[in-house]
């Protein structure tokens, strides 16, 4: 299951990089790399693995944003039965801060 999630994530990242302006994606990538290097965020694979234990599903989208001085991974995932779930996850601890279900 985890390999399927990573494959889906790679496809989503590839698609977003192909459709986004090159300057914006480079800037986002650089910000994320700097935050990881500074120890401000966990590696995405680690976060996805921890989140998948409680929230299994196919990852559709991942964003890393700075909110109120904290790095947040915003994850959109598709669960069994077609439920769409949006999670806000603390990027340093992998703690799920907020969950929003959409049907």
């Amino acid at each position: 299951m985890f390999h399927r999630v990573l494959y889906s994530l790679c496809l989503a990242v590839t698609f977003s990089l192909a459709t986004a302006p090159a300057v914006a994606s480079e800037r986002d990538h650089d910000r994320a790399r700097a935050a990881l290097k500074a120890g401000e965020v966990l590696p995405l694979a680690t976060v996805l693995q921890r989140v998948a234990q409680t929230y299994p599903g196919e990852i559709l989208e991942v964003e890393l944003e700075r909110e109120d001085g904290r790095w947040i991974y915003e994850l959109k995932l598709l669960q069994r039965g077609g439920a769409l779930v949006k999670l806000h996850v603390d990027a340093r601890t992998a703690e799920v801060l907020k969950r929003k279900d959409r049907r």
Side-chain angles (χ1 to χ4, degrees):
M1 173 71 175
F2 182 67
H3 292 355
R4 184 175 169 195
V5 169
L6 282 180
Y7 176 75
S8 297
L9 178 62
C10 288
L11 286 177
V13 169
T14 300
F15 178 74
S16 66
L17 290 176
T19 58
V23 174
S25 61
E26 285 180 28
R27 184 174 45 232
D28 291 345
H29 180 73
D30 290 342
R31 280 185 343 140
R33 182 181 298 174
L36 180 62
K37 188 175 181 179
E40 296 176 358
V41 300
L42 290 171
L44 179 58
T46 301
V47 172
L48 293 178
Q49 188 174 30
R50 290 182 187 176
V51 168
Q53 293 174 12
T54 307
Y55 300 95
E58 182 177 345
I59 300 294
L60 301 176
E61 186 177 331
V62 176
E63 293 181 26
L64 179 62
E65 297 182 353
R66 190 94 167 153
E67 294 180 6
D68 299 323
R70 181 189 319 197
W71 286 103
I72 303 291
Y73 281 113
E74 289 185 6
L75 309 176
K76 288 184 186 174
L77 59 112
L78 183 63
Q79 293 187 311
R80 283 190 180 179
L84 182 63
V85 178
K86 183 175 182 180
L87 302 173
H88 285 216
V89 181
D90 184 304
R92 184 186 294 247
T93 65
E95 175 189 0
V96 175
L97 303 172
K98 183 174 159 183
R99 172 187 174 158
K100 186 173 184 180
D101 295 300
R102 295 184 179 170
R103 298 270 172 196

